[in-house]
Amino acid sequence: MSGAVSSAVINLPAMRTRGWIIPAAALAAAITAAGSAAQPATPRVPRDAGALSEPVVVELFTAQGCAGCPEANARFESVAGEPGVIALTYAVDYWDYLGWQDTFARPEFAQRQRAYRRALRLRDISTPQVVIDGRRQVVGAQATALQSAIDEEAARRNFPPEIEFRIGGKRVGVGSGRSPSGGAEVVAVTYTPGPQEVDIVAGDNRGRTVRHVNVVRSVRTLGDWTGQPALYALPGVREPGEAVAVLVQAKVDRRILNGAVLDPG
């Protein structure tokens, strides 16, 4: 990942929210009610009544020049709206040689995918690929395998560090917890919520309209998380309508400990 944001890390008291998805307009009320509100559980997964649950982070690596990607994009979109799922689409640039320059791709997105290849001990990278919670992959976003992986991760109880947006969405606090071997980092993923369509005029998908959902615009590391409560500055400049997903992620094995979304409001 690149483009680290310089920010002071401040010790905080223990926080009470875990993996919330909070609209900016309702931020103040959400923080006030932090002790009583809970995120809806993912369908089909039994939950203890009243238990707080962390979301499942589902990341799709795709390309507009990849012939097999439009169908995978559609399968990914079918799960993106599920309660308790943070779905993020990264466009990679290594298909551009076929004649179409991907309009959403950035080199750092392919770098993020390569980091998962090392962590998951894969022989190579490929598209389409879905990574769930940084722990496992589903190649091609096969519908049954994808839904099964999401359900299994939703049932996992990790008791992760809590995440809370503060100061009108300018800061994010991460609570205390057990830091993984090798340490962890706090990552801000800025994306455009909802679907977008692009008409392709060259390459393998020439003449097709390719649809994406929750397209990632940037990935920035906000700082290290050592297991102690800390406060981080969020990216200060965002386009209208953009959301930010904050992920607490292990540096070595790349598993995602928790995530939360600050909606554009």
Side-chain angles (χ1 to χ4, degrees):
M1 280 171 281
S2 61
V5 175
S6 176
S7 63
V9 179
I10 305 170
N11 289 335
L12 296 172
M15 291 172 289
R16 294 174 292 171
T17 58
R18 176 181 295 149
W20 282 8
I21 301 177
I22 306 176
L27 184 62
I31 293 174
T32 302
S36 60
Q39 181 175 309
T42 302
R44 296 176 302 280
V45 180
R47 303 284 183 145
D48 294 334
L52 291 173
S53 60
E54 58 270 20
V56 178
V57 180
V58 186
E59 300 174 277
L60 170 66
F61 294 91
T62 185
Q64 294 165 4
C66 159
C69 286
E71 289 76 14
N73 292 359
R75 291 191 290 270
F76 182 78
E77 185 174 353
S78 71
V79 302
E82 290 188 8
V85 170
I86 298 176
L88 303 168
T89 294
Y90 301 83
V92 298
D93 58 1
Y94 49 80
W95 287 94
D96 290 359
Y97 77 96
L98 292 178
W100 174 258
Q101 186 170 356
D102 196 296
T103 59
F104 297 137
R106 295 176 66 94
E108 54 264 38
F109 301 162
Q111 292 173 13
R112 183 169 178 82
Q113 188 183 23
R114 284 192 286 270
Y116 280 131
R117 179 191 66 81
R118 292 189 294 270
L120 297 175
R121 299 180 180 180
L122 305 175
R123 177 172 296 181
D124 207 345
I125 58 175
S126 62
T127 54
Q129 179 191 33
V130 177
V131 177
I132 298 95
D133 272 348
R135 297 174 181 272
R136 62 173 78 184
Q137 70 156 348
V138 176
V139 176
Q142 299 100 328
T144 301
L146 177 57
Q147 188 62 67
S148 176
I150 291 172
D151 290 347
E152 289 173 10
E153 288 300 318
R156 187 192 300 270
R157 299 300 299 158
N158 295 317
F159 301 100
E162 298 163 351
I163 299 174
E164 183 180 53
F165 295 103
R166 297 186 171 193
I167 316 175
K170 295 181 180 179
R171 300 285 188 272
V172 62
V174 178
S176 61
R178 184 175 180 179
S179 180
S181 177
E185 59 191 3
V186 179
V187 179
V189 182
T190 301
Y191 69 97
T192 304
Q196 297 184 67
E197 294 184 344
V198 179
D199 294 328
I200 311 300
V201 298
D204 280 3
N205 287 323
R206 180 177 57 187
R208 301 182 68 177
T209 297
V210 176
R211 182 178 170 102
H212 307 258
V213 67
N214 297 353
V215 175
V216 172
R217 300 299 185 175
S218 67
V219 180
R220 300 184 183 184
T221 301
L222 304 183
D224 290 344
W225 179 73
T226 63
Q228 299 300 314
L231 187 67
Y232 306 83
L234 286 170
V237 179
R238 299 195 295 271
E239 295 295 327
E242 288 185 340
V244 179
V246 173
L247 312 177
V248 183
Q249 187 162 30
K251 290 183 178 181
V252 177
D253 65 18
R254 306 307 296 160
R255 58 192 170 95
I256 294 173
L257 309 180
N258 203 4
V261 170
L262 178 65
D263 285 332

